[in-house]
Amino acid sequence: MSFGGVNLKIPYSYRKIEVSEKPIFIIGLSPGRQRLKERNYEVFHGNQSGDLIEEIIKDKVNILLTNIFNYYVDEITSDLINEGLLNVLKLIKIHKPYKVICLGNFSFQHVSKLIKDEDLDIELTKLQHPSFIIRFKKDRKQYINMFKEQL
């Protein structure tokens, strides 16, 4: 968000769903626009993509949801990417996931490089971002089934 030429970082917290040992991480790019009445800055909550993710992970546990950028980004720069990946790496080191599900090409490209560069033993999967499914009216039921198979 820009105010008087200054980029304001409004942080979204990552979300943990009954995280214990070796959770599954779900990593997107950045927060989507939230419905105004529900503006609580939770990752994957309060918008259509969040609704779809919440439908998929309903009744699931040991999941951590985050983004490469957990704040609104006007323009993606290499410095911001490095900052975001450092935050992802911190979460990985704290929670030690056994699996990461990347939503979309951008997330997959950068997180897979991070995992390789850090020589981490983590299973990595790429799925289309839920916003793609919603925007282009793709088969929602097929996407949900495919996603659930990865959990």
Side-chain angles (χ1 to χ4, degrees), residues 79-137:
D79 286 343
L80 286 176
I81 293 169
N82 290 336
E83 178 186 313
L85 290 174
L86 182 60
N87 290 330
V88 168
L89 182 59
K90 287 177 187 176
L91 285 175
I92 287 172
K93 288 187 175 192
I94 291 168
H95 295 285
K96 299 173 178 43
Y98 83 93
K99 183 175 193 173
V100 171
I101 299 172
C102 291
L103 302 178
N105 290 330
F106 186 93
S107 174
F108 181 77
Q109 175 187 359
H110 292 286
V111 172
S112 62
K113 184 178 183 326
L114 173 72
I115 288 172
K116 181 181 177 197
D117 290 351
E118 294 293 322
D119 196 29
L120 301 171
D121 184 25
I122 300 173
E123 181 183 336
L124 185 64
T125 300
K126 178 177 86 169
L127 294 173
Q128 289 181 322
H129 195 282
S131 62
F132 179 85
I133 303 303
I134 293 162
R135 183 175 183 194
F136 295 105
K137 301 189 185 332

Side-chain angles (χ1 to χ4, degrees), residues 24 26 56-57 60 63 99 101 147-151:
I24 294 175
I26 299 173
I56 292 166
I57 64 173
K60 302 286 184 195
I63 294 175
K99 183 175 193 173
I101 299 172
F147 203 123
K148 284 183 175 183
E149 288 175 7
Q150 297 299 321
L151 295 176

